[in-house]
Protein backbone atom coordinates (compact mmCIF):
# COMPACT_ATOMS: atom_id res chain seq x y z
CA UNK A 1 0.00 0.00 0.00
CA UNK A 2 1.22 3.48 -0.86
CA UNK A 3 -0.11 6.88 0.32
CA UNK A 4 1.03 10.21 -1.09
CA UNK A 5 -0.10 13.83 -0.75
CA UNK A 6 -0.04 16.40 -3.52
CA UNK A 7 -0.47 20.05 -2.55
CA UNK A 8 -2.69 21.95 -5.00
CA UNK A 9 -2.09 25.25 -3.18
CA UNK A 10 -1.68 26.43 0.43
CA UNK A 11 -5.28 25.49 1.29
CA UNK A 12 -6.04 22.46 -0.88
CA UNK A 13 -4.42 19.06 -1.33
CA UNK A 14 -5.15 15.62 -2.76
CA UNK A 15 -4.24 12.38 -0.97
CA UNK A 16 -3.81 9.28 -3.11
CA UNK A 17 -4.14 5.82 -1.56
CA UNK A 18 -2.95 2.85 -3.61
CA UNK A 19 -4.16 -0.55 -2.40
CA UNK A 20 -2.94 -3.74 -4.07
CA UNK A 21 -4.28 -7.27 -3.81
CA UNK A 22 -1.43 -8.22 -1.45
CA UNK A 23 -2.74 -5.70 1.07
CA UNK A 24 -6.09 -7.40 1.61
CA UNK A 25 -6.02 -10.95 0.17
CA UNK A 26 -4.78 -12.70 3.33
CA UNK A 27 -7.46 -11.06 5.45
CA UNK A 28 -10.19 -11.90 2.93
CA UNK A 29 -8.97 -15.53 2.79
CA UNK A 30 -9.08 -15.82 6.58
CA UNK A 31 -12.65 -14.49 6.72
CA UNK A 32 -13.77 -16.82 3.92
CA UNK A 33 -12.33 -19.83 5.80
CA UNK A 34 -14.30 -18.77 8.86
CA UNK A 35 -17.46 -18.40 6.71
CA UNK A 36 -16.92 -21.89 5.29
CA UNK A 37 -16.76 -23.38 8.80
CA UNK A 38 -20.07 -21.75 9.73
CA UNK A 39 -21.90 -21.90 6.40
CA UNK A 40 -25.17 -23.83 6.52
CA UNK A 41 -26.12 -24.62 2.91
CA UNK A 42 -28.65 -27.36 1.99
CA UNK A 43 -26.96 -30.40 0.45
CA UNK A 44 -23.67 -29.95 2.31
CA UNK A 45 -22.55 -30.89 5.76
CA UNK A 46 -21.64 -27.93 7.97
CA UNK A 47 -18.01 -27.00 7.32
CA UNK A 48 -17.83 -29.05 4.09
CA UNK A 49 -19.20 -26.44 1.65
CA UNK A 50 -16.80 -26.11 -1.33
CA UNK A 51 -14.62 -23.00 -1.02
CA UNK A 52 -15.48 -22.05 -4.59
CA UNK A 53 -19.14 -21.78 -3.66
CA UNK A 54 -18.32 -19.71 -0.55
CA UNK A 55 -16.14 -17.37 -2.64
CA UNK A 56 -18.82 -17.00 -5.28
CA UNK A 57 -21.48 -16.17 -2.71
CA UNK A 58 -19.52 -14.00 -0.27
CA UNK A 59 -16.12 -13.21 -1.78
CA UNK A 60 -16.91 -9.90 -3.51
CA UNK A 61 -18.78 -8.32 -0.57
CA UNK A 62 -16.08 -9.40 1.92
CA UNK A 63 -13.34 -8.02 -0.33
CA UNK A 64 -15.13 -4.66 -0.75
CA UNK A 65 -15.72 -4.44 3.01
CA UNK A 66 -12.06 -5.19 3.82
CA UNK A 67 -10.74 -2.73 1.23
CA UNK A 68 -12.96 0.01 2.66
CA UNK A 69 -11.82 -0.76 6.21
CA UNK A 70 -8.19 -0.72 5.13
CA UNK A 71 -8.72 2.50 3.20
CA UNK A 72 -10.34 4.33 6.12
CA UNK A 73 -7.77 3.13 8.65
CA UNK A 74 -4.78 3.98 6.48
CA UNK A 75 -6.17 7.42 5.56
CA UNK A 76 -6.85 8.30 9.22
CA UNK A 77 -3.39 7.12 10.26
CA UNK A 78 -1.79 9.14 7.46
CA UNK A 79 -3.57 12.35 8.53
CA UNK A 80 -2.42 11.83 12.14
CA UNK A 81 1.18 10.88 11.26
CA UNK A 82 1.56 13.81 8.86
CA UNK A 83 -0.04 16.14 11.46
CA UNK A 84 -2.34 17.57 8.81
CA UNK A 85 -4.70 20.24 10.14
CA UNK A 86 -7.74 19.83 7.93
CA UNK A 87 -11.15 21.48 7.76
CA UNK A 88 -14.22 19.29 7.39
CA UNK A 89 -13.52 15.71 6.28
CA UNK A 90 -11.66 14.26 3.27
CA UNK A 91 -13.89 14.15 0.18
CA UNK A 92 -13.52 11.15 -2.15
CA UNK A 93 -12.94 12.11 -5.80
CA UNK A 94 -15.26 10.33 -8.18
CA UNK A 95 -13.56 8.09 -10.79
CA UNK A 96 -15.52 7.30 -13.95
CA UNK A 97 -13.44 4.21 -14.74
CA UNK A 98 -13.45 2.74 -11.22
CA UNK A 99 -14.39 -0.96 -11.00
CA UNK A 100 -14.48 -3.45 -8.13
CA UNK A 101 -13.59 -6.15 -10.68
CA UNK A 102 -9.95 -5.04 -10.50
CA UNK A 103 -7.46 -6.32 -7.94
CA UNK A 104 -5.47 -3.11 -7.40
CA UNK A 105 -7.19 0.17 -6.55
CA UNK A 106 -6.35 3.85 -6.51
CA UNK A 107 -8.44 6.15 -4.29
CA UNK A 108 -8.14 9.93 -4.24
CA UNK A 109 -9.38 12.34 -1.59
CA UNK A 110 -9.63 16.11 -1.62
CA UNK A 111 -8.49 17.89 1.55
CA UNK A 112 -9.25 21.40 2.76
CA UNK A 113 -6.25 22.60 4.79
CA UNK A 114 -6.49 24.98 7.74
CA UNK A 115 -4.82 28.32 6.96
CA UNK A 116 -1.62 29.52 8.63
CA UNK A 117 -1.94 32.91 10.35
CA UNK A 118 -0.94 34.94 13.40
CA UNK A 119 -3.26 36.57 15.96
CA UNK A 120 -2.35 40.14 16.89
CA UNK A 121 -3.72 41.08 20.33
CA UNK A 122 -2.41 44.64 20.10
CA UNK A 123 -5.70 46.31 19.17
CA UNK A 124 -5.13 49.41 17.06
CA UNK A 125 -8.59 50.71 17.93
CA UNK A 126 -9.05 50.12 21.63
CA UNK A 127 -11.89 47.80 22.66
CA UNK A 128 -14.18 49.16 25.39
CA UNK A 129 -14.23 47.36 28.72
CA UNK A 130 -17.35 48.40 30.61
CA UNK A 131 -17.41 48.92 34.36
CA UNK A 132 -21.10 49.02 35.29
CA UNK A 133 -21.92 50.68 38.59
CA UNK A 134 -25.09 50.57 40.66
CA UNK A 135 -25.86 54.28 41.02
CA UNK A 136 -27.89 55.95 43.75
CA UNK A 137 -31.10 56.02 41.71
CA UNK A 138 -30.97 52.27 41.02
CA UNK A 139 -30.19 51.49 44.67
CA UNK A 140 -33.16 53.57 45.85
CA UNK A 141 -35.44 51.72 43.43
CA UNK A 142 -34.13 48.35 44.64
CA UNK A 143 -34.74 49.30 48.28
CA UNK A 144 -38.30 50.31 47.35
CA UNK A 145 -38.78 47.06 45.40
CA UNK A 146 -37.78 45.10 48.50
CA UNK A 147 -40.22 47.14 50.57
CA UNK A 148 -42.96 46.39 48.04
CA UNK A 149 -42.11 42.69 47.88
CA UNK A 150 -42.47 42.36 51.65
CA UNK A 151 -45.17 44.99 51.99
CA UNK A 152 -48.86 44.66 52.77
CA UNK A 153 -51.59 44.58 50.09
CA UNK A 154 -54.27 47.19 50.80
CA UNK A 155 -57.54 47.31 48.77
CA UNK A 156 -58.43 50.71 47.30
CA UNK A 157 -61.95 51.96 46.39
CA UNK A 158 -60.87 53.72 43.17
CA UNK A 159 -57.92 53.75 40.79
CA UNK A 160 -55.21 56.21 41.76
CA UNK A 161 -51.50 56.54 41.08
CA UNK A 162 -49.35 53.69 42.40
CA UNK A 163 -52.04 50.98 42.45
CA UNK A 164 -52.19 47.58 40.78
CA UNK A 165 -55.39 46.87 38.85
CA UNK A 166 -56.71 43.35 38.22
CA UNK A 167 -59.27 42.84 35.49
CA UNK A 168 -60.16 41.08 32.25
CA UNK A 169 -59.19 42.22 28.75
CA UNK A 170 -61.68 41.26 26.01
CA UNK A 171 -61.70 41.46 22.21
CA UNK A 172 -64.27 39.11 20.67
CA UNK A 173 -62.94 39.32 17.10
CA UNK A 174 -59.45 38.14 18.18
CA UNK A 175 -60.97 35.77 20.77
CA UNK A 176 -59.09 37.48 23.58
CA UNK A 177 -60.37 36.97 27.12
CA UNK A 178 -57.47 37.37 29.53
CA UNK A 179 -57.46 38.16 33.24
CA UNK A 180 -54.37 40.20 34.13
CA UNK A 181 -52.93 42.43 36.79
CA UNK A 182 -51.35 45.67 35.55
CA UNK A 183 -49.48 48.43 37.36
CA UNK A 184 -50.89 51.93 36.90
CA UNK A 185 -47.40 53.31 36.16
CA UNK A 186 -47.07 50.86 33.23
CA UNK A 187 -49.98 52.53 31.43
CA UNK A 188 -48.54 54.87 28.79
CA UNK A 189 -49.50 58.53 28.45
CA UNK A 190 -51.87 60.87 30.26
CA UNK A 191 -54.76 60.10 27.86
CA UNK A 192 -54.74 56.39 28.75
CA UNK A 193 -54.10 57.04 32.46
CA UNK A 194 -57.11 59.41 32.66
CA UNK A 195 -59.33 56.54 31.49
CA UNK A 196 -58.29 54.60 34.61
CA UNK A 197 -58.14 57.33 37.26
CA UNK A 198 -61.17 57.34 39.58
CA UNK A 199 -62.64 54.10 38.19
CA UNK A 200 -63.90 51.46 40.63
CA UNK A 201 -64.50 47.69 40.68
CA UNK A 202 -67.04 46.69 38.03
CA UNK A 203 -66.30 49.62 35.70
CA UNK A 204 -65.55 48.80 32.05
CA UNK A 205 -62.86 50.84 30.27
CA UNK A 206 -62.58 51.02 26.47
CA UNK A 207 -58.94 51.05 25.29
CA UNK A 208 -56.74 50.73 22.20
CA UNK A 209 -53.83 48.28 22.33
CA UNK A 210 -51.49 50.53 20.32
CA UNK A 211 -49.45 52.64 22.76
CA UNK A 212 -51.30 51.28 25.78
CA UNK A 213 -48.19 50.32 27.77
CA UNK A 214 -44.72 51.82 28.14
CA UNK A 215 -43.31 48.47 26.94
CA UNK A 216 -44.83 46.12 24.32
CA UNK A 217 -43.75 43.16 26.47
CA UNK A 218 -46.26 44.36 29.09
CA UNK A 219 -48.98 44.16 26.42
CA UNK A 220 -47.80 40.66 25.50
CA UNK A 221 -48.24 39.50 29.11
CA UNK A 222 -51.50 41.38 29.66
CA UNK A 223 -53.23 39.88 26.60
CA UNK A 224 -51.52 36.46 26.74
CA UNK A 225 -50.22 36.72 23.16
CA UNK A 226 -46.81 35.87 21.73
CA UNK A 227 -44.26 38.38 20.45
CA UNK A 228 -45.27 38.08 16.79
CA UNK A 229 -48.96 38.57 17.59
CA UNK A 230 -48.50 41.83 19.55
CA UNK A 231 -46.03 43.36 17.07
CA UNK A 232 -47.91 46.36 15.61
CA UNK A 233 -51.20 45.19 17.18
CA UNK A 234 -53.81 47.97 16.99
CA UNK A 235 -57.23 46.73 18.12
CA UNK A 236 -59.90 47.93 20.59
CA UNK A 237 -60.21 46.05 23.89
CA UNK A 238 -62.41 46.41 26.94
CA UNK A 239 -61.01 46.08 30.45
CA UNK A 240 -63.39 45.18 33.28
CA UNK A 241 -61.95 46.10 36.70
CA UNK A 242 -62.16 43.33 39.32
CA UNK A 243 -59.67 44.42 42.00
CA UNK A 244 -57.77 47.60 42.91
CA UNK A 245 -54.89 47.18 45.32
CA UNK A 246 -52.00 49.25 46.60
CA UNK A 247 -48.91 48.00 48.36
CA UNK A 248 -48.15 49.45 51.74
CA UNK A 249 -44.36 49.51 51.89
CA UNK A 250 -42.69 47.38 54.55
CA UNK A 251 -40.80 49.32 57.19
CA UNK A 252 -37.02 49.38 56.89
CA UNK A 253 -36.09 47.58 60.08
CA UNK A 254 -34.33 44.48 61.36
CA UNK A 255 -37.36 42.29 60.65
CA UNK A 256 -37.16 43.23 56.95
CA UNK A 257 -33.37 42.71 56.82
CA UNK A 258 -33.74 39.22 58.32
CA UNK A 259 -36.52 38.26 55.88
CA UNK A 260 -34.45 39.29 52.88
CA UNK A 261 -30.94 38.12 53.80
CA UNK A 262 -31.33 35.85 56.82
CA UNK A 263 -30.92 36.55 60.54
CA UNK A 264 -28.19 39.07 61.41
CA UNK A 265 -26.59 39.31 57.94
CA UNK A 266 -27.63 42.96 57.50
CA UNK A 267 -28.14 45.28 60.51
CA UNK A 268 -28.78 48.75 59.08
CA UNK A 269 -30.10 50.57 56.01
CA UNK A 270 -26.52 51.44 55.06
CA UNK A 271 -25.59 47.75 55.15
CA UNK A 272 -28.74 46.93 53.15
CA UNK A 273 -27.78 49.40 50.42
CA UNK A 274 -24.18 48.12 50.41
CA UNK A 275 -25.40 44.51 50.05
CA UNK A 276 -27.76 45.44 47.21
CA UNK A 277 -24.91 47.31 45.49
CA UNK A 278 -22.56 44.34 45.87
CA UNK A 279 -25.09 41.82 44.50
CA UNK A 280 -26.15 44.10 41.63
CA UNK A 281 -22.60 44.83 40.52
CA UNK A 282 -21.76 41.10 40.54
CA UNK A 283 -24.60 40.58 38.06
CA UNK A 284 -23.50 43.62 36.05
CA UNK A 285 -19.96 42.24 35.92
CA UNK A 286 -21.25 39.04 34.32
CA UNK A 287 -22.99 41.07 31.60
CA UNK A 288 -19.98 43.33 31.13
CA UNK A 289 -17.68 40.30 30.80
CA UNK A 290 -19.94 38.69 28.21
CA UNK A 291 -20.03 41.93 26.24
CA UNK A 292 -16.23 42.20 26.44
CA UNK A 293 -15.85 38.65 25.14
CA UNK A 294 -18.29 39.42 22.31
CA UNK A 295 -16.38 42.60 21.39
CA UNK A 296 -12.98 40.86 21.45
CA UNK A 297 -14.40 38.07 19.29
CA UNK A 298 -15.76 40.61 16.82
CA UNK A 299 -12.46 42.50 16.75
CA UNK A 300 -10.35 39.38 16.17
CA UNK A 301 -12.60 38.11 13.37
CA UNK A 302 -12.53 41.50 11.65
CA UNK A 303 -8.78 42.05 12.05
CA UNK A 304 -7.25 38.59 11.65
CA UNK A 305 -6.92 38.10 7.90
CA UNK A 306 -6.58 34.69 6.25
CA UNK A 307 -8.05 32.78 3.32
CA UNK A 308 -10.24 29.69 3.62
CA UNK A 309 -10.58 26.77 1.18
CA UNK A 310 -14.05 28.10 0.35
CA UNK A 311 -14.85 25.90 -2.66
CA UNK A 312 -13.81 22.75 -0.81
CA UNK A 313 -15.90 23.72 2.23
CA UNK A 314 -18.96 24.35 0.05
CA UNK A 315 -18.58 20.89 -1.52
CA UNK A 316 -18.12 19.34 1.92
CA UNK A 317 -21.19 21.14 3.34
CA UNK A 318 -23.25 19.81 0.42
CA UNK A 319 -22.71 16.20 1.55
CA UNK A 320 -21.92 16.50 5.29
CA UNK A 321 -25.45 16.80 6.68
CA UNK A 322 -28.27 14.29 6.96
CA UNK A 323 -29.80 15.67 3.77
CA UNK A 324 -27.68 16.53 0.71
CA UNK A 325 -27.66 20.20 -0.35
CA UNK A 326 -27.68 21.76 -3.78
CA UNK A 327 -24.58 23.84 -4.65
CA UNK A 328 -26.67 26.97 -4.10
CA UNK A 329 -27.82 25.81 -0.65
CA UNK A 330 -24.27 24.82 0.31
CA UNK A 331 -22.95 28.22 -0.79
CA UNK A 332 -25.62 29.97 1.29
CA UNK A 333 -24.81 27.79 4.31
CA UNK A 334 -21.11 28.60 3.95
CA UNK A 335 -21.87 32.33 3.96
CA UNK A 336 -23.89 31.88 7.17
CA UNK A 337 -21.23 29.84 8.97
CA UNK A 338 -18.03 31.49 7.70
CA UNK A 339 -17.75 33.99 10.57
CA UNK A 340 -18.20 31.27 13.22
CA UNK A 341 -15.61 29.08 11.47
CA UNK A 342 -13.13 31.96 11.37
CA UNK A 343 -13.48 32.59 15.09
CA UNK A 344 -13.24 28.85 15.81
CA UNK A 345 -9.87 28.82 14.03
CA UNK A 346 -8.72 32.00 15.79
CA UNK A 347 -9.80 30.65 19.17
CA UNK A 348 -7.96 27.39 18.53
CA UNK A 349 -4.82 29.34 17.59
CA UNK A 350 -4.97 31.48 20.75
CA UNK A 351 -5.49 28.39 22.93
CA UNK A 352 -2.63 26.48 21.29
CA UNK A 353 -0.10 29.34 21.11
CA UNK A 354 -0.66 30.27 24.75
CA UNK A 355 -0.97 26.75 26.14
CA UNK A 356 -4.47 27.38 27.51
CA UNK A 357 -5.87 23.98 28.45
CA UNK A 358 -8.62 22.45 30.55
CA UNK A 359 -8.67 19.08 32.25
CA UNK A 360 -11.47 16.98 33.70
CA UNK A 361 -10.74 18.04 37.29
CA UNK A 362 -11.20 21.69 36.29
CA UNK A 363 -14.42 20.84 34.47
CA UNK A 364 -15.72 19.07 37.61
CA UNK A 365 -14.97 22.12 39.77
CA UNK A 366 -16.57 24.42 37.20
CA UNK A 367 -19.67 22.20 37.05
CA UNK A 368 -19.79 22.16 40.85
CA UNK A 369 -19.87 25.96 40.93
CA UNK A 370 -22.61 25.97 38.31
CA UNK A 371 -24.73 23.47 40.29
CA UNK A 372 -24.24 25.39 43.56
CA UNK A 373 -25.39 28.62 41.90
CA UNK A 374 -28.48 26.84 40.54
CA UNK A 375 -29.30 25.37 43.96
CA UNK A 376 -28.82 28.75 45.65
CA UNK A 377 -31.58 30.19 43.47
CA UNK A 378 -33.96 27.74 45.13
CA UNK A 379 -32.77 28.53 48.65
CA UNK A 380 -30.32 25.60 49.04
CA UNK A 381 -27.32 27.62 50.14
CA UNK A 382 -25.24 24.89 51.81
CA UNK A 383 -25.68 21.55 50.02
CA UNK A 384 -23.77 18.54 51.35
CA UNK A 385 -20.60 17.72 49.43
CA UNK A 386 -21.75 14.17 48.69
CA UNK A 387 -25.05 15.39 47.24
CA UNK A 388 -23.19 18.00 45.18
CA UNK A 389 -20.76 15.41 43.78
CA UNK A 390 -23.62 13.10 42.79
CA UNK A 391 -25.42 15.90 40.92
CA UNK A 392 -22.20 16.95 39.14
CA UNK A 393 -21.62 13.34 38.08
CA UNK A 394 -25.13 13.15 36.61
CA UNK A 395 -24.71 16.49 34.82
CA UNK A 396 -21.38 15.52 33.26
CA UNK A 397 -22.71 12.12 32.18
CA UNK A 398 -24.95 14.04 29.76
CA UNK A 399 -22.70 14.66 26.75
CA UNK A 400 -24.57 17.76 25.58
CA UNK A 401 -24.50 19.32 29.04
CA UNK A 402 -20.81 18.42 29.53
CA UNK A 403 -19.96 20.00 26.17
CA UNK A 404 -21.87 23.18 27.05
CA UNK A 405 -20.05 23.50 30.39
CA UNK A 406 -16.71 22.78 28.72
CA UNK A 407 -17.35 25.61 26.25
CA UNK A 408 -18.25 27.96 29.11
CA UNK A 409 -15.06 27.01 30.96
CA UNK A 410 -12.94 27.67 27.86
CA UNK A 411 -14.68 31.03 27.37
CA UNK A 412 -13.94 31.91 30.98
CA UNK A 413 -10.24 31.07 30.53
CA UNK A 414 -10.08 33.04 27.29
CA UNK A 415 -11.72 36.04 28.95
CA UNK A 416 -9.11 35.96 31.73
CA UNK A 417 -6.34 35.68 29.11
CA UNK A 418 -7.72 38.59 27.07
CA UNK A 419 -8.01 40.78 30.18
CA UNK A 420 -4.35 40.10 30.97
CA UNK A 421 -3.02 40.55 27.43
CA UNK A 422 -5.12 43.21 25.70
CA UNK A 423 -5.14 46.89 26.64
CA UNK A 424 -8.74 48.08 26.82
CA UNK A 425 -10.42 51.47 27.01
CA UNK A 426 -12.24 51.36 30.37
CA UNK A 427 -15.62 53.08 30.52
CA UNK A 428 -17.61 53.46 33.73
CA UNK A 429 -21.36 53.99 33.50
CA UNK A 430 -24.64 53.00 35.13
CA UNK A 431 -26.72 50.05 33.98
CA UNK A 432 -29.30 52.10 32.09
CA UNK A 433 -26.61 53.84 30.03
CA UNK A 434 -24.84 50.51 29.42
CA UNK A 435 -28.03 48.99 27.99
CA UNK A 436 -28.64 52.03 25.76
CA UNK A 437 -25.06 52.06 24.48
CA UNK A 438 -24.59 48.33 23.92
CA UNK A 439 -28.05 47.24 22.81
CA UNK A 440 -28.99 50.51 21.07
Amino acid sequence: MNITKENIDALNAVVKVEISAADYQDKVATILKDYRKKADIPGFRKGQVPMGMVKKQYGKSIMIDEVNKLLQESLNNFLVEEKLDILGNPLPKMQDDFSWEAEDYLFEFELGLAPQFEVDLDAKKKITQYNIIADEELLEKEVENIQKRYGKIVPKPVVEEGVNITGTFVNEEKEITKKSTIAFEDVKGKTNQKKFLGKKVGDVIELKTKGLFVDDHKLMGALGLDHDAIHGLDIPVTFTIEEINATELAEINQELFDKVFGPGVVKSKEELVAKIKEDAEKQFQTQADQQLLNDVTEYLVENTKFELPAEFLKKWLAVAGEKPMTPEQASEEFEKSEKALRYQLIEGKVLKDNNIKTDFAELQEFAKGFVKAQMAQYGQLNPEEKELDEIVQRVLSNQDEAKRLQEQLVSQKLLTFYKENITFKVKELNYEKFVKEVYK
Side-chain angles (χ1 to χ4, degrees), residues 87 301 306 308 310 313-314 316-318 325 329-345:
L87 301 179
V301 170
F306 53 82
L308 290 169
L313 289 170
K314 289 173 188 177
W316 174 69
L317 284 169
M325 295 183 188
Q329 288 171 327
S331 181
E332 186 179 337
E333 184 62 29
F334 174 74
E335 296 297 327
K336 289 179 185 174
S337 58
E338 182 181 1
K339 191 173 182 179
L341 172 59
R342 286 183 176 278
Y343 183 67
Q344 187 180 340
L345 291 169

Side-chain angles (χ1 to χ4, degrees), residues 8 55 60 63 105 121 145 147 161 193 234 253 255 267 280 296 299 315 319 322 328 386 391-392 418 439:
I8 307 302
K55 280 184 179 180
K60 179 59 68 65
M63 183 272 290
Y105 304 100
L121 298 176
N145 286 339
Q147 288 180 274
E161 290 187 9
Q193 289 183 350
D234 186 7
N253 54 25
E255 183 182 357
K267 298 177 182 177
V296 171
Y299 174 83
K315 284 198 282 186
V319 298
E322 291 183 8
E328 292 76 17
K386 183 181 177 183
I391 296 172
V392 168
Y418 292 146
Y439 302 111

